[in-house]
Coordinates of all heavy atoms in Angstrom, one line a residue:
M244 N 151.6 131.1 132.2 CA 150.1 130.9 132.0 C 149.4 130.8 133.4 O 149.9 130.1 134.3 CB 149.9 129.6 131.2 CG 148.5 129.4 130.9 SD 147.9 127.7 130.5 CE 148.4 127.4 128.9
E245 N 148.4 131.6 133.5 CA 147.6 131.7 134.7 C 146.5 130.6 134.7 O 145.8 130.5 133.8 CB 147.0 133.1 134.9 CG 146.4 133.3 136.2 CD 146.0 134.8 136.4 OE1 146.7 135.7 135.9 OE2 144.9 135.0 136.9
K246 N 146.4 129.9 135.9 CA 145.4 128.9 136.0 C 144.1 129.5 136.6 O 144.2 130.3 137.6 CB 145.9 127.8 136.9 CG 145.0 126.6 136.9 CD 145.6 125.5 137.7 CE 144.7 124.3 137.8 NZ 145.3 123.2 138.5
S247 N 143.0 129.2 136.0 CA 141.7 129.7 136.5 C 141.1 128.8 137.6 O 141.1 127.5 137.4 CB 140.7 129.8 135.3 OG 139.4 130.2 135.8
N248 N 140.6 129.3 138.6 CA 140.0 128.6 139.7 C 138.5 128.7 139.7 O 137.9 128.7 140.8 CB 140.6 129.0 141.1 CG 142.0 128.5 141.2 OD1 142.4 127.5 140.7 ND2 142.8 129.3 142.0
T249 N 137.9 128.9 138.6 CA 136.4 129.1 138.6 C 135.8 127.7 138.8 O 136.2 126.7 138.3 CB 136.0 129.6 137.2 OG1 136.3 128.8 136.2 CG2 136.5 131.0 137.0
V250 N 134.7 127.7 139.6 CA 133.9 126.5 139.9 C 132.6 126.7 139.3 O 131.9 127.7 139.6 CB 133.9 126.3 141.4 CG1 133.0 125.1 141.8 CG2 135.3 126.2 142.0
T251 N 132.1 125.7 138.6 CA 130.8 125.8 138.0 C 129.9 125.1 139.0 O 130.1 123.9 139.3 CB 130.7 125.1 136.6 OG1 131.7 125.8 135.8 CG2 129.4 125.2 136.1
Q252 N 128.9 125.8 139.5 CA 127.9 125.2 140.4 C 126.7 124.8 139.6 O 126.1 125.6 138.9 CB 127.5 126.1 141.5 CG 126.6 125.5 142.5 CD 126.4 126.4 143.7 OE1 127.0 127.4 143.9 NE2 125.4 126.0 144.6
E253 N 126.3 123.5 139.8 CA 125.1 123.0 139.1 C 123.8 123.6 139.8 O 123.8 123.8 141.0 CB 125.0 121.5 139.2 CG 124.0 120.9 138.3 CD 124.2 119.4 138.1 OE1 125.2 118.9 138.6 OE2 123.3 118.8 137.6
V254 N 122.8 124.0 139.0 CA 121.6 124.5 139.5 C 120.5 123.5 139.1 O 120.5 122.8 138.1 CB 121.3 125.9 139.0 CG1 122.3 126.9 139.6 CG2 121.2 126.0 137.6
Y255 N 119.5 123.5 139.9 CA 118.3 122.6 139.7 C 117.1 123.5 139.6 O 116.8 124.3 140.5 CB 118.2 121.7 140.9 CG 119.4 120.8 141.1 CD1 120.5 121.3 141.9 CD2 119.6 119.6 140.5 CE1 121.7 120.6 142.0 CE2 120.7 118.9 140.6 CZ 121.8 119.3 141.4 OH 122.9 118.6 141.5
K256 N 116.4 123.3 138.5 CA 115.3 124.2 138.2 C 113.9 123.5 138.2 O 113.8 122.3 137.9 CB 115.5 124.8 136.8 CG 116.7 125.6 136.6 CD 116.9 126.1 135.2 CE 118.2 126.8 135.1 NZ 118.5 127.3 133.7
L257 N 112.9 124.3 138.5 CA 111.5 123.9 138.4 C 110.7 125.1 137.9 O 111.2 126.2 138.0 CB 110.9 123.6 139.8 CG 111.4 122.3 140.5 CD1 110.8 122.3 141.9 CD2 111.0 121.1 139.8
W258 N 109.6 124.9 137.4 CA 108.7 125.9 137.0 C 107.4 125.7 137.7 O 106.9 124.6 137.9 CB 108.4 125.9 135.5 CG 109.7 126.3 134.7 CD1 109.9 127.5 134.2 CD2 110.8 125.5 134.5 NE1 111.2 127.6 133.6 CE2 111.8 126.4 133.8 CE3 111.2 124.2 134.7 CZ2 113.0 125.9 133.3 CZ3 112.5 123.8 134.3 CH2 113.3 124.7 133.6
I259 N 106.8 126.8 138.2 CA 105.6 126.7 139.0 C 104.5 127.7 138.6 O 104.8 128.8 138.2 CB 105.9 126.9 140.5 CG1 104.7 126.6 141.4 CG2 106.4 128.3 140.8 CD1 104.9 126.5 142.9
S260 N 103.3 127.2 138.5 CA 102.1 128.1 138.3 C 101.3 128.1 139.5 O 100.7 127.0 139.9 CB 101.3 127.5 137.1 OG 100.1 128.2 137.0
Q261 N 101.3 129.2 140.2 CA 100.4 129.3 141.4 C 99.0 129.3 141.1 O 98.2 128.7 141.8 CB 100.8 130.6 142.1 CG 102.2 130.7 142.6 CD 102.5 129.8 143.8 OE1 101.6 129.3 144.5 NE2 103.8 129.6 144.1
N262 N 98.6 129.8 139.9 CA 97.2 129.9 139.5 C 96.6 128.5 139.2 O 95.5 128.2 139.5 CB 97.0 130.8 138.3 CG 97.2 132.3 138.7 OD1 97.1 132.7 139.8 ND2 97.7 133.1 137.7
E263 N 97.4 127.7 138.4 CA 97.0 126.4 138.0 C 97.4 125.3 139.0 O 97.0 124.1 138.8 CB 97.6 126.1 136.6 CG 97.2 127.0 135.5 CD 95.7 126.9 135.2 OE1 95.2 125.8 135.2 OE2 95.1 128.0 134.8
H264 N 98.1 125.6 140.0 CA 98.6 124.7 141.0 C 99.4 123.5 140.3 O 99.1 122.4 140.6 CB 97.5 124.1 141.9 CG 97.0 125.2 142.8 ND1 96.0 124.9 143.7 CD2 97.3 126.5 143.0 CE1 95.7 126.0 144.4 NE2 96.5 127.0 143.9
I265 N 100.4 123.9 139.5 CA 101.2 122.9 138.8 C 102.7 123.2 139.1 O 103.1 124.4 139.0 CB 101.0 123.0 137.3 CG1 99.5 122.6 137.0 CG2 101.9 122.1 136.5 CD1 99.2 122.8 135.5
V266 N 103.4 122.2 139.4 CA 104.9 122.2 139.4 C 105.4 121.4 138.3 O 105.0 120.2 138.2 CB 105.4 121.7 140.8 CG1 106.9 121.7 140.8 CG2 104.9 122.6 141.9
S267 N 106.3 121.9 137.5 CA 106.8 121.2 136.3 C 108.3 121.1 136.4 O 109.1 122.0 136.8 CB 106.5 122.0 135.1 OG 107.0 121.3 133.9
F268 N 108.8 119.9 136.0 CA 110.2 119.6 135.9 C 110.8 120.1 134.6 O 112.0 120.1 134.3 CB 110.5 118.1 136.1 CG 110.4 117.6 137.5 CD1 109.2 117.0 137.9 CD2 111.4 117.8 138.4 CE1 109.1 116.6 139.2 CE2 111.3 117.3 139.7 CZ 110.1 116.7 140.1
H269 N 109.9 120.4 133.7 CA 110.3 120.9 132.3 C 109.9 122.4 132.1 O 108.9 122.8 132.7 CB 109.5 120.1 131.3 CG 109.7 118.6 131.4 ND1 110.9 117.9 131.1 CD2 108.9 117.7 132.0 CE1 110.7 116.7 131.4 NE2 109.5 116.5 131.9
E270 N 110.7 123.0 131.4 CA 110.5 124.5 131.1 C 109.1 124.7 130.5 O 108.7 124.0 129.6 CB 111.6 125.0 130.2 CG 111.4 126.5 130.0 CD 112.6 127.1 129.2 OE1 113.5 126.4 128.8 OE2 112.6 128.3 129.0
E271 N 108.4 125.6 131.1 CA 107.1 126.0 130.6 C 107.1 127.5 130.2 O 107.6 128.3 130.9 CB 106.0 125.8 131.7 CG 105.9 124.3 132.2 CD 105.2 123.5 131.1 OE1 104.5 124.0 130.2 OE2 105.4 122.2 131.2
E272 N 106.5 127.7 129.1 CA 106.4 129.1 128.6 C 105.1 129.7 129.1 O 104.2 129.1 129.4 CB 106.6 129.2 127.1 CG 107.9 128.7 126.6 CD 108.1 128.9 125.1 OE1 107.3 129.6 124.5 OE2 109.0 128.2 124.6
G273 N 105.1 131.0 129.1 CA 103.9 131.8 129.5 C 104.1 132.6 130.7 O 105.0 132.3 131.5
D274 N 103.3 133.6 130.9 CA 103.4 134.5 132.0 C 102.9 133.8 133.3 O 103.2 134.3 134.4 CB 102.5 135.7 131.8 CG 103.0 136.5 130.6 OD1 104.2 136.4 130.3 OD2 102.2 137.3 130.0
D275 N 102.2 132.7 133.2 CA 101.7 132.1 134.4 C 102.7 131.2 135.2 O 102.6 130.9 136.3 CB 100.5 131.2 134.0 CG 99.6 130.9 135.2 OD1 99.4 131.8 136.1 OD2 99.1 129.7 135.3
Y276 N 103.8 130.9 134.5 CA 104.9 130.1 135.1 C 106.1 130.9 135.6 O 106.5 131.8 134.9 CB 105.3 129.0 134.2 CG 104.4 127.9 134.0 CD1 103.3 127.9 133.1 CD2 104.4 126.8 134.9 CE1 102.4 126.9 133.0 CE2 103.5 125.7 134.8 CZ 102.5 125.8 133.9 OH 101.6 124.8 133.8
E277 N 106.5 130.6 136.8 CA 107.7 131.2 137.3 C 108.8 130.2 137.5 O 108.5 129.1 137.9 CB 107.3 131.8 138.7 CG 108.5 132.3 139.5 CD 108.1 132.7 140.9 OE1 106.9 132.5 141.3 OE2 109.0 133.1 141.7
Q278 N 110.0 130.5 137.1 CA 111.1 129.6 137.2 C 111.7 129.7 138.6 O 111.9 130.8 139.2 CB 112.2 129.9 136.2 CG 113.4 129.0 136.3 CD 114.5 129.4 135.3 OE1 114.6 130.5 134.9 NE2 115.3 128.4 135.0
L279 N 111.9 128.6 139.2 CA 112.6 128.5 140.6 C 113.9 127.8 140.4 O 114.0 126.8 139.7 CB 111.7 127.7 141.5 CG 110.3 128.3 141.7 CD1 109.5 127.3 142.7 CD2 110.3 129.7 142.3
V280 N 114.9 128.3 141.1 CA 116.2 127.7 141.0 C 116.7 127.2 142.5 O 116.5 128.0 143.4 CB 117.3 128.7 140.5 CG1 118.7 128.1 140.5 CG2 116.8 129.1 139.1
F281 N 117.2 126.0 142.5 CA 117.6 125.4 143.8 C 119.1 125.1 143.7 O 119.6 124.8 142.6 CB 116.8 124.2 144.1 CG 115.3 124.4 144.2 CD1 114.5 124.4 143.1 CD2 114.8 124.8 145.4 CE1 113.1 124.6 143.2 CE2 113.4 125.0 145.5 CZ 112.6 125.0 144.4
T282 N 119.8 125.1 144.8 CA 121.2 124.8 144.8 C 121.6 123.3 144.9 O 122.7 123.0 144.6 CB 121.9 125.6 145.9 OG1 121.3 125.2 147.2 CG2 121.8 127.1 145.8
N283 N 120.6 122.5 145.3 CA 120.8 121.1 145.3 C 119.6 120.3 145.1 O 118.5 120.8 145.2 CB 121.5 120.6 146.6 CG 120.7 120.9 147.8 OD1 119.6 120.3 148.0 ND2 121.2 121.7 148.7
Q284 N 119.7 119.0 144.7 CA 118.6 118.2 144.4 C 117.7 117.9 145.6 O 116.5 117.9 145.4 CB 119.2 116.8 143.8 CG 118.1 115.8 143.4 CD 117.4 116.2 142.1 OE1 117.8 117.2 141.4 NE2 116.4 115.5 141.7
N285 N 118.2 117.8 146.8 CA 117.4 117.6 147.9 C 116.5 118.7 148.2 O 115.3 118.5 148.5 CB 118.2 117.3 149.2 CG 118.9 115.9 149.1 OD1 118.4 115.0 148.4 ND2 120.0 115.8 149.8
E286 N 117.0 119.9 148.1 CA 116.2 121.1 148.3 C 115.0 121.2 147.3 O 113.9 121.5 147.6 CB 117.1 122.4 148.2 CG 116.4 123.7 148.4 CD 117.3 124.9 148.2 OE1 118.4 124.7 147.7 OE2 116.8 126.0 148.5
K287 N 115.3 120.9 146.1 CA 114.4 120.9 145.0 C 113.3 119.8 145.3 O 112.1 120.1 145.2 CB 115.0 120.6 143.6 CG 114.1 120.4 142.5 CD 114.9 120.1 141.2 CE 114.2 119.3 140.2 NZ 115.0 119.0 139.0
M288 N 113.6 118.6 145.6 CA 112.7 117.6 145.8 C 111.8 117.8 147.1 O 110.7 117.5 147.1 CB 113.4 116.2 145.9 CG 113.9 115.8 144.5 SD 112.8 115.9 143.1 CE 111.6 114.7 143.6
D289 N 112.4 118.4 148.1 CA 111.7 118.8 149.3 C 110.6 119.8 148.9 O 109.4 119.6 149.4 CB 112.6 119.4 150.4 CG 113.4 118.4 151.1 OD1 113.2 117.2 151.0 OD2 114.4 118.8 151.8
F290 N 110.9 120.7 148.1 CA 109.9 121.7 147.6 C 108.8 121.0 146.9 O 107.6 121.3 147.1 CB 110.6 122.7 146.7 CG 109.6 123.8 146.2 CD1 109.3 124.9 147.0 CD2 109.0 123.6 145.0 CE1 108.4 125.8 146.5 CE2 108.2 124.6 144.5 CZ 107.9 125.7 145.3
V291 N 109.1 120.1 146.0 CA 108.1 119.3 145.2 C 107.2 118.5 146.1 O 106.0 118.6 145.9 CB 108.8 118.4 144.2 CG1 107.8 117.4 143.5 CG2 109.5 119.2 143.1
F292 N 107.7 117.8 147.1 CA 106.9 117.0 148.0 C 106.0 117.9 148.8 O 104.9 117.6 149.1 CB 107.8 116.1 148.9 CG 108.5 115.0 148.1 CD1 109.8 114.8 148.3 CD2 107.8 114.2 147.2 CE1 110.5 113.8 147.6 CE2 108.4 113.2 146.5 CZ 109.7 113.0 146.7
Q293 N 106.5 119.1 149.2 CA 105.7 120.0 150.0 C 104.5 120.5 149.2 O 103.4 120.5 149.6 CB 106.5 121.2 150.5 CG 105.7 122.2 151.2 CD 106.4 123.6 151.2 OE1 107.5 123.8 150.6 NE2 105.8 124.5 151.9
K294 N 104.8 120.9 147.9 CA 103.7 121.4 147.1 C 102.7 120.3 146.7 O 101.5 120.5 146.7 CB 104.3 122.0 145.8 CG 105.0 123.3 146.0 CD 104.0 124.3 146.6 CE 104.7 125.7 146.7 NZ 103.7 126.7 147.3
S295 N 103.2 119.1 146.5 CA 102.3 118.0 146.1 C 101.4 117.7 147.3 O 100.2 117.3 147.1 CB 103.0 116.7 145.6 OG 103.8 116.2 146.7
S296 N 101.9 117.8 148.5 CA 101.0 117.5 149.7 C 100.0 118.7 149.9 O 99.1 118.5 150.7 CB 101.9 117.3 150.9 OG 102.5 118.5 151.3
N297 N 100.2 119.8 149.3 CA 99.3 120.9 149.4 C 98.4 121.0 148.1 O 97.8 122.1 147.9 CB 100.1 122.2 149.5 CG 100.7 122.3 150.9 OD1 100.1 121.9 151.9 ND2 101.9 122.9 151.0
G298 N 98.3 120.0 147.3 CA 97.4 119.9 146.2 C 97.9 120.3 144.9 O 97.1 120.3 143.9
F299 N 99.2 120.6 144.8 CA 99.8 120.9 143.4 C 99.9 119.6 142.6 O 100.3 118.6 143.2 CB 101.1 121.6 143.6 CG 101.0 123.1 143.8 CD1 100.5 123.6 145.0 CD2 101.4 124.0 142.9 CE1 100.4 124.9 145.3 CE2 101.3 125.4 143.1 CZ 100.8 125.8 144.3
R300 N 99.7 119.7 141.3 CA 100.0 118.6 140.4 C 101.4 118.7 140.0 O 102.0 119.8 139.8 CB 99.1 118.7 139.2 CG 97.6 118.4 139.6 CD 96.7 118.5 138.4 NE 96.7 120.0 138.0 CZ 96.4 120.4 136.8 NH1 96.1 119.6 135.8 NH2 96.4 121.7 136.5
I301 N 102.0 117.6 139.7 CA 103.4 117.5 139.3 C 103.5 117.0 137.9 O 102.8 116.0 137.6 CB 104.3 116.6 140.2 CG1 104.0 116.9 141.7 CG2 105.7 116.7 139.9 CD1 104.3 118.3 142.1
Q302 N 104.2 117.7 137.1 CA 104.4 117.2 135.7 C 105.8 117.3 135.2 O 106.6 118.0 135.8 CB 103.5 118.0 134.7 CG 103.8 119.4 134.6 CD 102.9 120.1 133.6 OE1 101.8 119.7 133.4 NE2 103.4 121.2 133.0

């Protein structure tokens, strides 16, 4: 029996609307929202803090 060495990497997602200036932690439907994927929680939160300091609303 062969052992598999696959590693599952967790991804961290956000959705952003550049037009509405909204960053969402929850999946948003519609053409206005773009999904962003980060490799770790710190990278994701740095992005959120950067956007909030530039006038984006967080939901």
Side-chain angles (χ1 to χ4, degrees):
M244 184 198 283
E245 190 174 317
K246 188 174 181 179
S247 175
N248 289 330
T249 59
V250 176
T251 304
Q252 183 173 351
E253 192 169 350
V254 293
Y255 301 87
K256 298 177 185 178
L257 289 174
W258 288 262
I259 187 168
S260 169
Q261 297 289 346
N262 293 333
E263 299 292 327
H264 290 184
I265 297 173
V266 174
S267 178
F268 287 97
H269 306 284
E270 184 174 359
E271 297 289 339
E272 293 185 19
D274 294 336
D275 200 37
Y276 283 88
E277 173 187 358
Q278 181 183 22
L279 303 176
V280 177
F281 300 90
T282 57
N283 63 60
Q284 183 72 5
N285 288 337
E286 181 184 9
K287 174 180 152 180
M288 293 309 296
D289 286 346
F290 180 84
V291 169
F292 291 133
Q293 175 199 7
K294 289 299 185 182
S295 67
S296 68
N297 288 323
F299 276 70
R300 294 177 290 157
I301 310 302
Q302 64 180 28

